[in-house]
């Protein structure tokens, strides 16, 4: 398997623009997670899905952020409008299950820079 | 929910030195514990894990033992290499079915 795939790898945009990050989880994995990594706050869980359904979005910072999973092989994280403080590395991860012994497999991340 | 606290870095070592990164957990019960590693420019990947008390996880020369007496899961490697330079994250499962990560420890190994 190719692992978790994220696109784009790098995104530079201007404040106020809409940004869409994409993720393809590992085939057969029922859980998908979106994380944000910054120097100041470390690794934060934004939202996770089970069988394409959002289970916990308590980590989504504000209404400007939204995530969808229209099918088992694709998810998007959208920021509209973007702000400079959204600059971070965004990771997508997937796992067979959640809890217990389960391993999360991370994608390479999308480095977002909002000018 | 459950959480972990790991030693702050950065840590700088010479090749073949001994590495220890401390990690302690706060949890209800005995959740599975993990060490993830992030190499420059990459995503996190699982290094090792332990699923119950007294278990020892090991991989690539790294080891960590799940110690309930001290609520710890310290990562150790006896002889580091330049290729071990990375950020290391301790993690545990939280009661709300989330993986709780520590702040990460940056390790730099010099030749």
């Amino acid at each position: 398997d190719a692992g978790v795939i994220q696109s784009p790898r790098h995104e530079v945009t201007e404040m106020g623009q809409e940004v869409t990050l994409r993720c393809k989880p590992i085939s057969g994995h029922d859980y998908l997670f979106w994380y944000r990594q910054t120097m100041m706050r470390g690794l934060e869980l934004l939202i996770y899905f089970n069988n394409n359904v959002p289970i916990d979005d308590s980590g989504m910072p504000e209404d400007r952020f939204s995530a969808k999973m229209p099918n088992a092989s694709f998810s998007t994280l959208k920021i509209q409008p973007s702000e400079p403080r959204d600059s971070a590395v965004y990771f997508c991860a997937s796992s067979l299950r959640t809890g217990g012994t389960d391993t999360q497999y991370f994608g390479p991340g999308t480095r977002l820079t909002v000018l | 929910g459950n959480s972990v606290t790991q030693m702050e870095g950065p840590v700088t070592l010479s090749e073949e030195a001994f590495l220890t990164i401390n990690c302690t957990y706060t949890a209800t019960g005995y959740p599975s514990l993990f060490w993830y590693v992030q190499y420059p420019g990459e995503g996190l990947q699982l290094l090792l894990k332990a699923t119950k008390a007294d278990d020892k996880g090991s991989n690539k020369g790294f080891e960590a033992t799940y110690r309930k007496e001290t609520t710890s899961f310290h990562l150790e490697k006896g002889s580091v290499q330049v290729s071990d330079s990375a950020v290391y994250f301790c993690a545990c499962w939280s009661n709300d079915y989330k993986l709780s990560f520590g702040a990460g420890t940056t390790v730099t190994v010099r030749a």
Side-chain angles (χ1 to χ4, degrees):
Chain A
D1 200 312
V4 176
I5 299 172
Q6 292 186 247
S7 64
R9 293 294 308 275
H10 301 274
E11 177 79 35
V12 180
T13 190
E14 293 189 346
M15 182 174 62
Q17 297 298 305
E18 177 179 295
V19 175
T20 300
L21 311 181
R22 297 172 176 78
C23 174
K24 175 179 170 56
I26 293 172
S27 178
H29 282 191
D30 291 336
Y31 288 83
L32 184 140
F33 307 82
W34 281 101
Y35 289 91
R36 176 172 69 175
Q37 185 180 42
T38 61
M39 289 293 291
M40 291 297 295
R41 301 172 68 92
L43 198 63
E44 304 172 276
L45 177 65
L46 301 178
I47 184 171
Y48 79 91
F49 296 81
N50 177 24
N51 291 325
N52 315 334
V53 176
I55 302 301
D56 187 337
D57 65 355
S58 59
M60 297 286 262
E62 47 196 277
D63 292 345
R64 298 184 297 106
F65 286 69
S66 62
K68 294 182 179 179
M69 193 165 185
N71 58 62
S73 59
F74 183 65
S75 177
T76 59
L77 178 67
K78 185 177 294 186
I79 308 173
Q80 167 62 19
S82 58
E83 296 183 2
R85 60 193 169 118
D86 301 330
S87 297
V89 180
Y90 291 82
F91 290 103
C92 176
S94 70
S95 67
L96 277 173
R97 295 170 296 273
T98 190
T101 65
D102 302 295
T103 299
Q104 291 187 11
Y105 295 84
F106 283 73
T110 295
R111 181 173 295 276
L112 173 65
T113 302
V114 183
L115 304 175
Chain B
N2 301 338
S3 63
V4 295
T5 302
Q6 65 181 101
M7 66 181 280
E8 295 185 13
V11 175
T12 303
L13 303 164
S14 298
E15 260 192 325
E16 300 183 4
F18 185 87
L19 171 67
T20 299
I21 305 176
N22 290 340
C23 173
T24 57
Y25 66 88
T26 302
T28 303
Y30 303 105
S32 295
L33 301 173
F34 304 80
W35 278 101
Y36 280 78
V37 59
Q38 184 179 26
Y39 298 105
E42 298 183 10
L44 281 72
Q45 56 185 272
L46 179 69
L47 180 60
L48 54 83
K49 66 181 180 183
T51 60
K52 60 183 186 295
D54 300 324
D55 265 4
K56 177 186 285 188
S58 61
N59 186 26
K60 299 181 180 180
F62 289 88
E63 293 184 340
T65 300
Y66 192 139
R67 300 200 185 280
K68 63 179 181 180
E69 304 84 3
T70 53
T71 63
S72 65
F73 192 55
H74 304 324
L75 182 68
E76 298 180 337
K77 185 172 185 179
S79 177
V80 294
Q81 304 300 312
V82 173
S83 57
D84 294 324
S85 298
V87 182
Y88 293 82
F89 294 88
C90 185
C92 75
W93 277 109
S94 183
N95 294 338
D96 50 3
Y97 300 99
K98 300 176 187 177
L99 198 56
S100 177
F101 287 91
T105 302
T106 299
V107 173
T108 301
V109 180
R110 294 181 173 170

